[in-house]
Amino acid sequence: MMKIYDYELSVNCYKQRLLLGILGVPYESIPVDFFPGWEHKGEAFAEINPLGHIPVIDDDGYILRDAQAILVYLALRYDPSGLWYPVTDPRVAGEVASWMAFAEGTTNTASAARLHDTLGYPFDIDTVRAGAQKLFRVLDDHVWFHEQQERPWVASAPHPTIADLALFPDVMLSEQGGISLLDYPALRRWTDRVKHIPGFTVMSGIFPAPAGAAPAGAAPGGATVGRPR
Amino acid sequence: MAVSDTATMGTPSCTDPVALHEWYPISALVEITPGLVHRTQLLGGAISYTRTPGGSRPVVWPSGGEASGAEVDGLAVDHQLPVRVKFGYVWTTLGRPEHELFDIAECDEADRRIQNGGSIMVATSAPRAIENFLDMGHFPYVHTGILGAEPRTEVLEYDVEVTDEEILATRCLFFQPQAALSASDGQMTEYVYRVPHPYCVMLYKSVPTDASRMDVIALFCQPMTEERVRAHNFLCMVDAVNSDTALKRFQQLIFGQDKPILENQSPRRLPLDPRAETPIRADKSSISYRRWLSAKGLTYAVIPATAPSPTPAPTPAPTRSS
């Protein structure tokens, strides 16, 4: 069975659990003592990932690291619909790759602010918060323009892609790093749509959408996407 | 290091004698690197700490200009603060407590799994964190499917005893789908809650695999400022199966669910005026806790009751009607 070297409070680990849950792929979570044990920085874990990062997956002996790379692999390997990483449309594939790279930026800023405020990581808090706000402004504008074109997701496909999942947790948990989502109304609407994707699962700090009607744009694509069974 | 940490170098902003003459946890002992400076905040002031070379003794002092991560000889530090090592944590004080720290008898049992489940900073006051820990009513809504589940949301009547030293809530029963990592099924779980310190709370809950014993889980709060706390999650478990990492993960999963709830409570300081927030039955221990803090004269991280209540304070909770 697929194994994930995993930490409950890690946004990058959560992205993988989220996609696996949506795709209905069973997996075994191997808990890593990320905090307070720093196990991922230890010698034993260096055998698994010399960069000292999680997540890492072990899919029947195939080992892969890096949050965005794992999303790519999981989508291509386990989503027979091909919609979560739509490589047949060069423009959409390019957009997905672009927003996945953007997600590295939100990890280095919004996620860093959260690690500082919650676990005491020694980042310069003003710098990382300002960096996150700059990126969130770009993303909020982009999502707003897409909404005007009746495109509910970050890529221009009519269904969600791994780019949405790559960006979602950093946005959702940003308030724990002192970055309020009040300033980003389009992002709040978009996170609500993500929460209505069938198979959506939560992590600590993220709550499910309140019961009720799904927001416009969530159901049609999501309902058919990535449910091989 | 954050600007906010260096802005209050050395001098605590707290003038409340009740808060000053108290012991506080500042770190798990094993998380302190001997010979290096660690920094944190206590009661609004910056403090530094290290362990002496060889790691034998923790040393704590009001911060000067030293940077976090710098090398330091703990033996040569002037103006050392009093230190205790208990439950695996380093405790210190900015005042002169006349009392020693409370005890947890279960820590002496040989097969206990004792560890720090994680020291996590939360943007709330210490008393808000304590009060949330005491509240069973939120289990089905915040810890859905683990510590509670709808529709079994009822908090049954329970007993609360209050002395000068501590608050003890007993006979607390709640239905839990997964009471602990070692639980395989839903069960009625019995809790005892104990508050032996203004900012420390523990629960004793029946062990899923051995009904005669109780796991102990504590929240030791380090008040960094009035509205910011570092919550040390202490675990003292009976569990022969799960790894330390798995036990910590379960505790962090639970605390991670509480964190955004705590951070969205307003005001962040706990109001002690009985008229400030409307109590319900589940709040019986919370009402006792607020009164107990008032009786101690604590003013730090709370909003003290400003004037005596014109009418007698409401009874803690109605008796069980069903």
Side-chain angles (χ1 to χ4, degrees):
Chain A
M1 190 190 292
M2 167 105 58
K3 291 180 193 156
I4 307 184
Y5 292 91
D6 194 13
Y7 174 60
E8 172 63 29
L9 303 182
S10 155
V11 288
N12 279 329
C13 294
Y14 166 60
K15 291 172 192 176
Q16 319 307 327
R17 300 194 295 265
L18 182 54
L19 179 59
L20 288 164
I22 290 168
L23 296 176
V25 177
Y27 63 93
E28 181 189 357
S29 171
I30 312 280
V32 175
D33 185 0
F34 182 91
F35 182 85
W38 303 97
E39 186 185 348
H40 56 303
K41 299 295 184 194
E43 280 180 26
F45 198 79
E47 302 276 314
I48 298 162
N49 181 1
L51 298 178
H53 298 156
I54 48 173
V56 175
I57 58 160
D58 178 344
D59 189 10
D60 203 18
Y62 174 68
I63 307 233
L64 187 66
R65 64 178 185 238
D66 189 289
Q68 273 60 256
I70 297 171
L71 290 175
V72 165
Y73 169 79
L74 294 177
L76 290 175
R77 172 76 180 78
Y78 290 105
D79 169 26
S81 77
L83 296 176
W84 281 99
Y85 187 42
V87 289
T88 52
D89 182 329
R91 291 189 179 189
V92 173
E95 291 163 20
V96 170
S98 162
W99 288 112
M100 301 274 275
F102 191 92
E104 292 292 332
T106 61
T107 295
N108 292 333
T109 53
S111 202
R114 175 172 162 263
L115 289 172
H116 173 277
D117 281 9
T118 302
L119 304 183
Y121 275 53
F123 296 118
D124 184 319
I125 188 62
D126 296 330
T127 303
V128 291
R129 269 191 204 139
Q133 282 154 346
K134 197 172 167 186
L135 292 176
F136 281 13
R137 184 78 271 138
V138 171
L139 184 58
D140 187 74
D141 287 351
H142 170 76
V143 170
W144 187 88
F145 279 110
H146 258 193
E147 285 176 337
Q148 304 315 303
Q149 300 162 339
E150 299 191 352
R151 289 173 168 162
W153 308 105
V154 293
S156 55
H159 50 77
T161 65
I162 50 174
D164 294 283
L165 306 188
L167 294 164
F168 171 76
D170 276 337
V171 173
M172 210 52 232
L173 291 176
S174 64
E175 296 195 344
Q176 295 197 18
I179 299 150
S180 169
L181 288 180
L182 280 176
D183 297 331
Y184 309 102
L187 290 187
R188 296 205 308 276
R189 290 191 296 272
W190 163 76
T191 55
D192 201 32
R193 290 194 286 275
V194 173
K195 287 182 173 190
H196 282 88
I197 294 172
F200 176 80
T201 53
V202 296
M203 69 172 273
S204 284
I206 297 179
F207 289 90
T224 54
V225 164
R227 302 292 281 178
R229 280 183 274 283
Chain B
M1 186 52 63
V3 173
S4 56
D5 287 352
T6 48
T8 51
M9 201 175 289
T11 320
S13 58
C14 172
T15 55
D16 172 7
V18 180
L20 280 173
H21 299 308
E22 188 53 86
W23 294 102
Y24 297 105
I26 55 164
S27 174
L29 182 66
V30 296
E31 292 167 29
I32 304 172
T33 314
L36 293 187
V37 173
H38 298 250
R39 289 176 63 123
T40 187
Q41 271 182 299
L42 182 62
L43 300 175
I47 57 171
S48 299
Y49 54 99
T50 189
R51 286 162 79 182
T52 51
S56 54
R57 188 166 67 85
V59 177
V60 185
W61 68 98
S63 295
E66 69 281 351
S68 185
E71 290 186 12
V72 65
D73 177 3
L75 295 169
V77 169
D78 293 331
H79 307 299
Q80 297 184 15
L81 294 169
V83 164
R84 298 285 183 275
V85 176
K86 198 159 187 181
F87 315 125
Y89 296 91
V90 176
W91 301 69
T92 192
T93 180
L94 302 181
R96 284 181 298 280
E98 291 176 358
H99 56 282
E100 277 301 320
L101 268 168
F102 54 89
D103 288 310
I104 301 175
E106 285 75 6
C107 291
D108 297 331
E109 297 171 7
D111 64 342
R112 287 278 168 173
R113 306 276 297 280
I114 294 174
Q115 60 177 333
N116 178 29
S119 301
I120 297 176
M121 290 186 284
V122 187
T124 191
S125 65
R128 283 283 191 198
I130 301 299
E131 192 180 65
N132 177 72
F133 192 94
L134 288 170
D135 169 39
M136 286 184 290
H138 76 288
F139 286 171
Y141 310 105
V142 177
H143 310 297
T144 313
I146 306 171
L147 301 185
E150 294 183 85
R152 301 182 71 168
T153 59
E154 191 187 14
V155 175
L156 302 172
E157 176 63 6
Y158 56 92
D159 299 324
V160 179
E161 293 167 53
V162 183
T163 64
D164 287 348
E165 286 74 37
E166 65 180 27
I167 300 169
L168 200 63
T170 53
R171 242 170 23 91
C172 310
L173 280 168
F174 206 83
F175 175 78
Q176 302 200 316
Q178 194 199 346
L181 200 53
S182 56
S184 48
D185 265 316
Q187 58 177 9
M188 286 305 290
T189 309
E190 183 174 357
Y191 278 70
V192 170
Y193 289 98
R194 182 178 159 217
V195 187
H197 178 296
Y199 301 150
C200 295
V201 61
M202 62 214 64
L203 63 81
Y204 300 74
K205 67 190 289 188
S206 39
V207 174
T209 53
D210 181 354
S212 71
R213 305 183 69 189
M214 296 186 113
D215 282 332
V216 186
I217 299 172
L219 197 64
F220 299 145
C221 289
Q222 168 194 342
M224 299 177 72
T225 68
E226 289 199 270
E227 301 193 349
R228 184 158 192 81
V229 68
R230 192 163 177 229
H232 304 278
N233 286 267
F234 171 72
L235 304 177
C236 175
M237 316 288 280
V238 178
D239 186 327
V241 176
N242 291 291
S243 67
D244 283 353
T245 301
L247 294 175
K248 277 188 264 197
R249 178 184 173 131
F250 186 78
Q251 183 59 25
Q252 292 186 17
L253 164 76
I254 299 298
F255 192 72
Q257 291 173 333
D258 284 316
K259 185 172 183 285
I261 306 295
L262 286 169
E263 294 185 330
N264 280 305
Q265 281 182 326
S266 180
R268 285 183 172 163
R269 288 181 295 152
L270 184 70
L272 298 186
D273 190 322
R275 297 160 297 186
E277 290 175 340
T278 309
I280 56 168
R281 184 206 282 175
D283 293 342
K284 186 172 173 180
S285 50
S286 153
I287 294 164
S288 303
Y289 174 58
R290 293 182 187 205
R291 284 184 179 170
W292 189 70
L293 294 182
S294 273
K296 284 184 179 298
L298 183 90
T299 60
Y300 193 77
V302 299
I303 300 171
T306 46
S309 182
T311 52
T315 338
T319 50
R320 188 178 171 182
S321 53
S322 56

